């Protein structure tokens, strides 16, 4: 039987909304440490059971969203990695697990950004939402959210990344413009 953390169950129970399957996976990736990337599906199901979530609805939602793709896919996907589930693809975990260099995270995350058909966007105008970046660093690099925010601040000050209106968590993080000399 998979063991759940009663404090995490209590925290989850205080959420005003029913978490989606993907949101539950994300929460557990952030707060329930396991060996390797992602979290076991039976762990997700055990938490859902403790929260009185509809098991059929959860299973259907996970089945509909889970992919074996090693690279980012559009939509609210959950990725199967080494038998576990993650909100990030295996390629991101492989490429970013050993770094806290936020510019690397932004580079990798931007590889999955595609402009709509017929629209051309300068690469320098693309960015990653601050909260998305912090969550990715927290999960993949396995560091605390406060430490991830500290990295964001320090690397912004050092000029490694650019964050416009950095007080706004909805703002995007971009790579600095390259000198054309």
């Amino acid at each position: 039987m998979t063991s759940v953390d009663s404090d995490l169950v209590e925290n989850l129970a205080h959420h005003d909304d029913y978490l989606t399957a993907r949101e539950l996976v994300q929460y557990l990736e952030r707060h329930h440490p396991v060996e390797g990337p992602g979290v076991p599906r039976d762990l997700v199901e055990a938490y859902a059971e403790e929260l009185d979530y509809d098991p059929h609805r959860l299973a259907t939602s996970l089945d509909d969203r889970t992919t074996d793709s090693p690279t980012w896919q559009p939509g609210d996907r959950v990725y199967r990695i080494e038998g576990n589930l993650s909100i990030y693809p295996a390629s991101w975990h492989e490429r970013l697990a050993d770094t806290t260099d936020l510019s690397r995270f932004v580079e990798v995350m931007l590889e999955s950004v595609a402009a709509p058909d017929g629209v051309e966007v300068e690469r320098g105008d693309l960015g990653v939402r601050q909260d998305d970046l912090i969550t990715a660093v927290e999960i993949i690099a396995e560091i605390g959210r406060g430490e991830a925010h500290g990295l964001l601040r320090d690397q912004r000050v050092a000029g490694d990344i650019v964050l416009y209106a950095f007080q706004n968590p909805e703002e995007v993080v971009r790579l600095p413009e390259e000198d054309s000399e």
Side-chain angles (χ1 to χ4, degrees):
M1 175 76 186
T2 300
S3 172
V4 299
D5 181 327
S6 58
D7 290 336
L8 291 182
V9 171
E10 185 69 24
N11 289 341
L12 284 164
H14 285 96
H15 280 262
D16 291 338
D17 299 324
Y18 180 91
L19 296 179
T20 66
R22 186 177 190 282
E23 290 168 339
L24 183 56
V25 169
Q26 176 180 327
Y27 185 87
L28 294 176
E29 278 192 286
R30 290 179 55 216
H31 299 287
H32 189 113
V34 298
E35 188 67 34
V39 291
R41 181 173 174 141
D42 64 341
L43 181 68
V44 176
E45 292 169 343
Y47 274 92
E49 183 178 327
E50 287 291 318
L51 295 163
D52 292 324
Y53 284 15
D54 180 335
H56 177 70
R57 183 176 174 187
L58 177 76
T60 300
S61 182
L62 283 173
D63 291 342
D64 289 348
R65 285 168 178 68
T66 302
T67 178
D68 290 320
S69 175
T71 59
W72 185 262
Q73 300 296 307
D76 287 336
R77 297 287 180 201
V78 174
Y79 300 86
R80 195 176 345 265
I81 303 174
E82 300 173 16
N84 286 344
L85 301 176
S86 177
I87 63 167
Y88 301 113
S91 62
W92 288 21
H93 284 276
E94 291 163 6
R95 294 170 65 189
L96 300 170
D98 296 326
T99 187
T100 55
D101 178 352
L102 300 188
S103 65
R104 284 288 299 134
F105 273 83
V106 172
E107 286 173 8
V108 169
M109 294 172 82
L110 284 179
E111 289 173 4
S112 63
V113 175
D117 287 338
V119 176
E120 289 196 29
V121 178
E122 291 290 324
R123 205 74 183 142
D125 292 338
L126 296 175
V128 175
R129 282 186 55 241
Q130 178 180 334
D131 191 56
D132 292 343
L133 176 62
I134 294 295
T135 300
V137 172
E138 183 182 14
I139 289 172
I140 296 172
E142 297 179 355
I143 63 173
R145 197 156 190 90
E147 186 179 347
H149 276 287
L151 289 171
L152 180 70
R153 181 193 61 241
D154 295 346
Q155 292 179 30
R156 179 188 59 78
V157 169
D160 298 331
I161 55 173
V162 178
L163 181 61
Y164 299 99
F166 57 88
Q167 303 89 340
N168 182 352
E170 296 301 315
E171 193 55 56
V172 295
V173 180
R174 296 184 174 117
L175 297 173
E177 292 182 21
E178 294 179 11
D179 293 332
S180 56
E181 293 182 33

